[in-house]
Amino acid sequence: MNVWFTEKQTPTFGITAKVKSTLETEKTDFQQVDMLETEQFGNMLVLDGMVMTSEQDEFVYHEMIAHVPLFTHPSPKKVLIVGGGDGGTIREVLKHDKVEQVTQVEIDGKVVEYSKKHLPSISSGYNNPRVNLIIGDGFEHIIKSEAEYDVILVDSTEPVGPAAGLFTKGFYAGISKALKDDGIFVAQTDNPWFKADLIQNAMRDTKEIFPIARLYTCNIPTYPSGMWTFTLGSKVHDPLAVSPEAIKDVDGRYYTPDIHFASFVLPKFVQQLTE
Ligand code: SAM
């Protein structure tokens, strides 16, 4: 029998993937967690019916959310990840020797458990001694943090359910307070085709709080529309002012010095969302 998983990316449009087997399916205290073995993209984590990551294309997102800010900050010793339950962002952050500690605040322990079990190539960083994993609400952690982090990465789900509070101006203000005086934050801010308003709001709020606010993109075939964005806010350091020599090889498959700069070059309809 042919089984297909379809993600409705809008009420009238979606993607579909042929499924070999369902590895896990559970309603946790926070969301529906499904781990699917797909023909095209390997094992795939799905939360509340939305593709989070897959073995075949995860490297794009995890390299881009981590290396752009970590090569922009001259000395990123303390890093915070909000969300990131699959572990891919941790794996990339740990490639930076300057990072002394990476704290991850993930609300749903089941996502970590199933990612360790079924996404070993993505969750490989969890056992590193520099990792401090906290199972809790990232919003609450940010609110109680003060001038503690050099870089904060918001690797959360869409602004629904447990992540609803992670896209508000108050949250971005809390991030600014939790950052040191030359800190940088990056948040995944969805796609310009179906979530233009989310991007506009995130950029507007970031501009009001940070002297440097930029949007950058990458290509992720399993995400809605395939074009994904990240919003970057920085108190001092500009990602476009980085010396190319400062960008080292990350042993990756997407991020390069050229991509670091090119990812900030936006198509006209996307640039307009940032103005
Ligand atoms: N790369 C994916 C994307 O762009 O949609 C995100 C992947 S990661 C699996 C998203 C994680 O955010 C999930 O594990 C979810 O449990 C977590 N999350 C959602 N709301 C949260 C909150 N308030 N605090 C901490 N983690 C949260």
Side-chain angles (χ1 to χ4, degrees):
M1 181 178 70
N2 283 339
V3 175
W4 292 71
F5 158 70
T6 296
E7 175 183 344
K8 287 279 187 68
Q9 297 172 347
T10 76
T12 59
F13 188 81
I15 57 163
T16 194
K18 192 169 180 195
V19 176
K20 276 184 180 173
S21 70
T22 297
L23 302 167
E24 305 287 351
T25 182
E26 178 175 343
K27 181 83 171 136
T28 73
D29 294 340
F30 302 97
Q31 54 211 335
Q32 175 64 35
V33 179
D34 295 295
M35 189 70 76
L36 306 176
E37 181 189 9
T38 72
E39 297 270 4
Q40 187 74 49
F41 283 97
N43 290 354
M44 178 183 281
L45 172 64
V46 175
L47 297 181
D48 282 341
M50 295 175 279
V51 175
M52 290 292 120
T53 197
S54 80
E55 287 179 310
Q56 296 309 312
D57 73 346
E58 57 82 16
F59 64 94
V60 180
Y61 176 95
H62 294 125
E63 289 179 30
M64 289 304 283
I65 196 173
H67 299 309
V68 171
L70 287 173
F71 280 121
T72 298
H73 196 292
S75 181
K77 295 186 172 66
K78 284 193 75 178
V79 177
L80 171 67
I81 299 168
V82 173
D86 50 69
T89 302
I90 284 183
R91 183 196 65 206
E92 294 305 313
V93 168
L94 290 170
K95 290 179 178 177
H96 293 257
D97 295 339
K98 292 178 183 175
V99 173
E100 295 170 359
Q101 184 184 62
V102 49
T103 296
Q104 175 170 316
V105 184
E106 162 58 56
I107 203 165
D108 194 339
K110 281 291 182 182
V111 175
V112 176
E113 178 189 334
Y114 292 148
S115 297
K116 285 180 177 177
K117 187 175 172 186
H118 299 292
L119 302 171
S121 63
I122 301 176
S123 59
S124 54
Y126 272 121
N127 298 325
N128 189 294
R130 287 186 284 165
V131 172
N132 169 33
L133 174 63
I134 299 170
I135 299 302
D137 187 336
F139 189 90
E140 289 171 15
H141 184 86
I142 284 286
I143 296 306
K144 69 184 183 194
S145 302
E146 176 98 26
E148 194 169 339
Y149 299 103
D150 297 299
V151 173
I152 296 177
L153 306 176
V154 183
D155 179 10
S156 72
T157 39
E158 316 246 318
V160 292
L166 304 183
F167 292 78
T168 61
K169 187 173 177 184
F171 183 60
Y172 296 135
I175 285 177
S176 180
K177 177 177 69 66
L179 285 168
K180 293 177 185 172
D181 58 11
D182 68 339
I184 300 173
F185 101 94
V186 166
Q188 72 87 359
T189 43
D190 220 296
N191 80 89
W193 288 91
F194 307 139
K195 292 283 177 58
D197 56 337
L198 184 154
I199 295 170
Q200 280 179 307
N201 294 340
M203 280 302 294
R204 181 201 59 224
D205 294 346
T206 302
K207 281 180 176 177
E208 286 175 11
I209 297 168
F210 291 87
I212 298 166
R214 295 195 185 282
L215 191 77
Y216 62 100
T217 68
C218 62
N219 164 241
I220 304 176
T222 57
Y223 279 10
S225 88
M227 174 182 267
W228 211 248
T229 72
F230 297 96
T231 295
L232 178 145
S234 182
K235 294 184 178 182
V236 171
H237 308 296
D238 187 340
L240 297 185
V242 172
S243 158
E245 291 68 44
I247 299 175
K248 309 292 182 225
D249 177 38
V250 295
D251 188 29
R253 297 166 58 200
Y254 191 89
Y255 180 81
T256 66
D258 287 342
I259 281 284
H260 175 98
F261 297 100
S263 66
F264 289 92
V265 177
L266 306 174
K268 186 174 179 182
F269 82 101
V270 182
Q271 180 65 37
Q272 288 169 337
L273 300 180
T274 68
E275 289 157 1

